[in-house]
């Protein structure tokens, strides 16, 4: 059977494989913590790694539609929800690391950071968007909101991705190679999305 129309069994196997692979960064991070090999600043290391993987999975999620357009395989879209939820999962770990390990629930200091440090302001805004998208990702929420309103809400994922890249660029002080790589990938995905929208209007 070709990959153009894979069986439900093959899609299920692919989802299991993807789910397992998506947990590998967390397993590697957990082992590093157990082995005490997170470096001189383990909290900073955890914060950076969880943020990196949140943004990585967010961009992978956004690539589902371009991959469908390029390959003609519509089953890419059946993986999009899982990928998006993993993006939220790592973003949640990223935020919890900041709230619990870095700030120890010091709410006045957290509020000051959010309002006075632009990259944290953007980062929290992105997290709130991802929270809303994760909370409305179920089939029940699609039915409750209606298809058009649900689609309009979930287009905010592009705003989240732009904010995530901006957050990454702001955060990095010296080597901008990785943030700019993410920005380039996002730019390509946005161009494909825009061209698709323009083509659909003709």
């Amino acid at each position: 059977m070709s990959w153009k129309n894979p069986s439900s069994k093959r899609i299920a196997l692919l989802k299991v494989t993807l789910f397992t692979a998506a947990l590998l960064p967390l397993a590697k991070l957990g082992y590093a913590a157990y082995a005490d090999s997170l470096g001189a600043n383990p909290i900073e290391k955890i914060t950076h790694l969880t943020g990196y993987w949140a943004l990585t999975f967010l961009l992978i999620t956004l690539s589902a539609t371009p991959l469908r357009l390029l390959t003609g395989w519509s089953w890419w879209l059946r993986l999009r929800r899982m990928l998006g939820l993993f993006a939220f999962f790592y973003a949640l770990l990223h935020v919890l690391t900041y709230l619990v390990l870095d700030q120890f629930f010091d709410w006045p200091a957290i509020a000051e950071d959010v309002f006075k440090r632009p990259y944290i302001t953007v980062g929290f805004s992105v997290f709130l968007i991802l929270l809303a998208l994760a909370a409305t990702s179920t089939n029940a929420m699609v039915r409750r909101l209606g298809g058009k309103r649900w689609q309009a809400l979930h287009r905010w994922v592009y705003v989240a991705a732009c904010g995530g890249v901006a957050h990454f660029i702001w955060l990095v002080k010296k080597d901008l190679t990785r943030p700019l790589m993410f920005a380039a990938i996002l730019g390509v995905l946005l161009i494909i999305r825009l061209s698709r929208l323009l083509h659909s209007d003709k």
Side-chain angles (χ1 to χ4, degrees), residues 36-167:
D36 195 22
S37 59
L38 289 174
N41 193 336
I43 295 175
E44 182 179 76
K45 185 74 170 180
I46 295 170
T47 302
H48 288 175
L49 284 176
T50 52
Y52 173 85
W53 283 107
L55 188 54
T56 297
F57 278 107
L58 187 55
L59 294 186
I60 293 174
T61 302
L62 291 179
S63 70
T65 296
L67 285 172
R68 180 181 66 81
L69 295 173
L70 291 172
T71 64
W73 299 348
S74 61
W75 56 264
W76 291 109
L77 302 182
R78 297 170 67 178
L79 307 176
R80 187 167 54 185
R81 180 184 301 179
M82 178 187 293
L83 290 166
L85 288 174
F86 268 110
F88 171 71
F89 172 68
Y90 281 103
L92 178 61
L93 294 179
H94 183 65
V95 171
L96 287 176
T97 301
Y98 169 75
L99 294 178
V100 181
L101 300 180
D102 191 7
Q103 295 294 336
F104 299 102
F105 292 117
D106 186 347
W107 297 113
I110 292 168
E112 183 178 357
D113 267 357
V114 170
F115 288 108
K116 290 188 176 181
R117 301 171 73 179
Y119 78 91
I120 293 183
T121 307
V122 171
F124 264 101
S125 300
V126 169
F127 176 71
L128 291 177
I129 293 173
L130 294 180
L131 176 61
L133 299 184
T136 57
S137 64
T138 63
N139 292 332
M141 287 303 300
V142 176
R143 291 191 296 269
R144 183 174 299 179
L145 291 172
K148 289 185 177 180
R149 284 193 296 175
W150 185 88
Q151 287 181 353
L153 173 62
H154 279 253
R155 287 194 183 103
W156 278 80
V157 68
Y158 292 96
V159 178
C162 291
V165 169
H167 174 73

Side-chain angles (χ1 to χ4, degrees), residues 16-29:
V16 170
T17 303
L18 180 61
F19 186 90
T20 303
L23 289 175
L24 289 178
L26 180 61
K28 184 178 179 180
L29 184 60

